[in-house]
Amino acid sequence: MAGPLTRRDTLKYAALFAAKTALSATARGAAEVSSQRPNFVFILVDDLGWADVGCYGSDLHETPNIDRLARQGMRFTDAYAAAPVCTPTRASIMTGKHPARLHMTTWYENSANPPLNRKLIPPVTQGDMPLEQVTIAEVLKKAGYFTAHIGKWHLGDAAHYPQTQGFDVNIGGTFWGAPTTFFYPYSGSGRFGKEFRYVPHLEFGAEGEYLTDRLTDEAIRVLDKVKDKPFFLNLWHHAVHTPIEAKPDLVEHYKKKVKPGMHHQNYEYAAMVHSLDENVGRIMAKLSELGIADRTIVIFFSDNGGFINEYRTKTVTNNYPLRSGKGSLYEGGIRVPLIVLWPGVTKAASVCTQPVSSIDFYPTILDITALAGDPQHNADMDGLSLVPLLKDPTAKLKRKTLYWHYPHYYPTTSPVSSIRQDDWKLIEYFEDEPCPTDESCPPYETLSRRAPSRRDIELYNLKTDIGERNNLAETMPQKAKELRESLGAWRKAVDAQMPTPNPKF
């Protein structure tokens, strides 16, 4: 320096030093905030019914690890999948948006090929989750999280696989919705015609190896490698979807347990649920072993209600006391188990009765991590943060209404929409007669032909009629009209696709 410091120089350098100190402190603070962000393990089960686990009332299945998770965290009684089938619910989890808004209302393989021999022609829908949607994995990855997807994807072709949607790792995720077999090498043809199916990246297994175990093995390998950094792990099991295949010793165990009068009678399915539960326990044990359980949020959820149809002449499951099952917008098709463990926040063994939906996971994760996400994407996001409920199960969300839209056919339904507002639920079928019913419910009442405007409407009070057996549409026409108008307005607002009359029917 050429000469002595002037007072102005002194002030200048003092200011620069203060600014550098502040920036350094800010950087340290940001790093500390980042390091304090929790990890996430999202365990998604395929076709697990609301009553298929012990803590939700199963009378056959043994699920001690899932039940323990519920005792450690929060169990939701009124949690819903955003759709009664897999692909649209999965899209809602990844985007926080209604399947109807995304035009993803049926499973991938069905999206472009609707049946043309029914009274209504379902719309051609989006099979690939659009790349312009900003997934929760993309948000977390940008914030420094390691993101891994393991298991079933079913959200599009190879150009829309997890690697293109924000995941660093994809093990097993394809456009297929179900494996040919649950036993190694998890491949073959015949079940889906001549198509040869496989689950990639699961090489070098052994005879007798079971898919639910192997996917958990892969998840544990990921945990071993990323334990020292924030991570988001999607462990999306193929279980308990068909094919109904389980380990022989477990099948024998449950075969001996089945008794007349039990709601659950399928011992092979029970054995699949048992293996699922064992692997939930393995994940929880690994988190503890690695010393990261106290900073890892675990979410346990199902993509739709239990499958009540037959597989190899046996009914797969029973969603009692809920009506119907997968594919249907009755409670059995959309109400599912949800357990959330947020260490230090969720109260042990707490129970929340507030209606929540799979559209809520995205904004919840944003809220927990204090990440803003993408403003353009967030502008039409449909979900709400569940953080207030996770902190206090008696809290109320600023929402009274949930919606569903399934303009497709399935063995349990014809094209349909539904709305739940508080305890009231309305179902609107688009054919002029109600959909088929399942054997666990009495036949539909034949509504008066003098009231054709209500022949396609069913109204239930879930508080007093969780089984949806007492249709109040005729006795409470004003309530039915009010809900139907709200449902129609919502469909218009999200640009929901509708089925069209089949002129050749």
Side-chain angles (χ1 to χ4, degrees):
M1 191 170 291
L5 287 176
T6 66
R7 181 173 181 273
R8 178 175 292 182
D9 291 330
T10 303
L11 292 174
K12 174 184 173 182
Y13 290 116
L16 286 172
F17 178 77
K20 286 186 177 181
T21 302
L23 285 172
S24 178
T26 300
R28 287 197 306 272
E32 288 170 3
V33 169
S34 177
S35 68
Q36 290 168 1
R37 283 183 178 144
N39 308 309
F40 295 90
V41 174
F42 197 123
I43 302 173
L44 185 65
V45 191
D46 199 356
D47 288 2
L48 184 72
W50 185 74
D52 276 341
V53 296
C55 59
Y56 281 88
S58 173
D59 57 6
L60 174 63
H61 309 153
E62 299 171 18
T63 56
N65 295 294
I66 298 170
D67 297 346
R68 184 181 304 112
L69 183 64
R71 290 194 301 272
Q72 294 171 334
M74 182 176 293
R75 179 173 65 88
F76 287 77
T77 63
D78 292 45
Y80 289 97
V85 295
C86 47
T87 293
T89 297
R90 292 161 188 267
S92 75
I93 292 170
M94 295 306 300
T95 65
K97 299 184 182 184
H98 279 293
R101 184 185 296 280
L102 298 169
H103 292 176
M104 295 184 71
T105 48
T106 191
W107 66 94
Y108 174 83
E109 295 92 333
N110 192 47
S111 60
N113 299 291
L116 303 178
N117 61 344
R118 305 296 291 267
K119 190 168 187 176
L120 298 176
I121 299 176
V124 173
T125 61
Q126 180 67 255
D128 300 316
M129 187 166 65
L131 296 177
E132 58 266 26
Q133 296 295 330
V134 181
T135 69
I136 190 62
E138 289 174 307
V139 174
L140 293 173
K141 181 177 180 178
K142 187 176 180 180
Y145 274 75
F146 184 90
T147 55
H149 176 87
I150 297 174
K152 178 174 174 175
W153 180 241
H154 212 200
L155 286 172
D157 60 19
H160 298 81
Y161 276 6
Q163 297 94 320
T164 72
Q165 302 278 13
F167 286 96
D168 295 302
V169 167
N170 169 31
I171 300 173
T174 68
F175 63 86
W176 288 312
T180 298
T181 176
F182 273 84
F183 289 97
Y184 184 80
Y186 319 117
S187 62
S189 58
R191 182 165 179 249
F192 301 96
K194 295 181 180 180
E195 180 183 62
F196 184 89
R197 289 194 179 189
Y198 58 92
V199 183
H201 314 304
L202 300 184
E203 296 81 8
F204 306 110
E207 184 178 353
E209 181 184 88
Y210 193 62
L211 182 57
T212 310
D213 295 338
R214 178 62 186 273
L215 292 176
T216 303
D217 290 344
E218 299 299 330
I220 286 173
R221 289 191 184 98
V222 169
L223 293 175
D224 277 329
K225 290 182 179 296
V226 303
K227 60 182 181 296
D228 296 325
K229 62 179 72 174
F231 62 81
F232 176 69
L233 171 62
N234 256 3
L235 177 52
W236 287 13
H237 281 291
H238 281 284
V240 287
H241 194 288
T242 57
I244 305 303
E245 296 178 345
K247 298 175 183 178
D249 57 332
L250 291 174
V251 172
E252 286 304 310
H253 170 75
Y254 283 99
K255 190 173 183 178
K256 295 173 184 176
K257 280 193 65 178
V258 171
K259 299 287 189 299
M262 282 184 166
H263 297 297
H264 291 106
Q265 294 281 329
N266 191 324
Y267 42 84
E268 291 171 307
Y269 180 78
M272 291 185 78
V273 174
H274 188 111
S275 288
L276 169 72
D277 179 79
E278 286 181 338
N279 283 285
V280 170
R282 291 179 64 205
I283 290 293
M284 299 306 295
K286 188 64 179 181
L287 294 175
S288 295
E289 175 194 323
L290 295 175
I292 57 175
D294 62 343
R295 61 178 189 272
T296 302
I297 294 172
V298 179
I299 301 169
F300 177 88
F301 191 65
S302 176
D303 63 352
N304 50 249
F307 184 69
I308 62 169
N309 302 96
E310 290 187 350
Y311 179 80
R312 293 179 179 168
T313 73
K314 292 181 184 178
T315 298
V316 173
T317 193
N318 186 330
N319 297 309
Y320 179 86
L322 308 182
R323 183 174 181 174
S324 196
K326 180 180 179 178
S328 168
L329 292 188
Y330 291 116
E331 293 292 285
I334 52 177
R335 192 186 290 213
V336 294
L338 169 61
I339 301 168
V340 180
L341 172 60
W342 183 0
V345 177
T346 49
K347 186 178 179 181
S350 53
V351 177
C352 181
T353 61
Q354 282 285 294
V356 301
S357 168
S358 55
I359 60 175
D360 297 328
F361 292 123
Y362 191 118
T364 300
I365 293 171
L366 287 185
D367 196 1
I368 290 172
T369 55
L371 294 172
D374 181 83
Q376 185 175 347
H377 178 91
N378 296 351
D380 63 351
M381 191 158 57
D382 296 296
L384 294 178
S385 171
L386 301 181
V387 167
L389 301 182
L390 296 173
K391 292 180 176 179
D392 176 7
T394 66
K396 304 291 184 183
L397 295 179
K398 294 180 180 179
R399 176 180 65 198
K400 297 176 61 178
T401 310
L402 291 173
Y403 304 92
W404 296 266
H405 182 61
Y406 189 67
H408 309 278
Y409 287 93
Y410 198 79
T412 51
T413 195
S414 61
V416 61
S417 286
S418 184
I419 176 174
R420 175 174 174 172
Q421 190 172 94
D422 295 327
D423 292 321
W424 291 100
K425 182 177 173 187
L426 180 133
I427 301 174
E428 179 181 12
Y429 291 101
F430 302 132
E431 287 191 355
D432 60 359
E433 294 181 1
C435 73
T437 188
D438 61 88
E439 294 181 354
S440 65
C441 295
Y444 284 90
E445 295 294 329
T446 302
L447 300 180
S448 169
R449 291 185 180 274
R450 290 175 292 181
S453 65
R454 294 199 300 276
R455 292 184 69 233
D456 54 349
I457 292 296
E458 298 180 20
L459 175 68
Y460 301 100
N461 187 320
L462 297 178
K463 186 174 183 179
T464 58
D465 183 21
I466 194 175
E468 297 171 293
R469 295 176 179 272
N470 184 21
N471 182 5
L472 302 172
E474 287 198 323
T475 58
M476 301 190 70
Q478 188 57 39
K479 174 58 73 172
K481 179 176 182 292
E482 171 192 325
L483 291 177
R484 188 178 197 179
E485 288 176 351
S486 295
L487 181 56
W490 170 79
R491 283 198 300 261
K492 184 176 181 180
V494 299
D495 188 29
Q497 295 173 285
M498 298 293 286
T500 55
N502 186 352
K504 297 182 180 179
F505 183 77

